[in-house]
Amino acid sequence: MASQPAFETVRLLSPQEKEDLRRDMAESSAWARAEFKRRREEKAKQNAEHGTNNGTTTEPSPKQP
């Protein structure tokens, strides 16, 4: 039984593959930011409708002496 190498050979990406990967990552990042913003806004809307805020407030806490 022949033993298999402990690692596989890797190759460098071509300039076009790098550009495609960068573009894909930028698009994915933009989508994620937009999705997180949408979810935050939806949650804020639901909380406002129900009068809940999970104990958080947008007002600063009073200073303690």
Side-chain angles (χ1 to χ4, degrees):
M1 183 165 155
S3 67
Q4 299 215 356
F7 59 91
E8 294 183 30
T9 304
V10 295
R11 68 174 179 81
L12 297 176
L13 297 175
S14 70
Q16 183 61 50
E17 288 172 319
K18 288 180 189 178
E19 187 59 36
D20 291 345
L21 182 57
R22 286 185 183 112
R23 183 176 23 261
D24 183 54
M25 291 174 68
E27 290 171 0
S28 296
S29 180
W31 175 86
R33 283 192 303 274
E35 182 66 14
F36 290 145
K37 179 180 179 183
R38 183 192 68 78
R39 291 181 187 186
R40 275 192 311 271
E41 291 170 350
E42 180 65 25
K43 185 172 183 178
K45 179 182 173 188
Q46 288 176 355
N47 288 342
E49 290 171 355
H50 298 288
T52 60
N53 63 3
N54 275 345
T56 61
T57 180
T58 57
E59 298 175 11
S61 300
K63 292 187 178 182
Q64 300 292 325

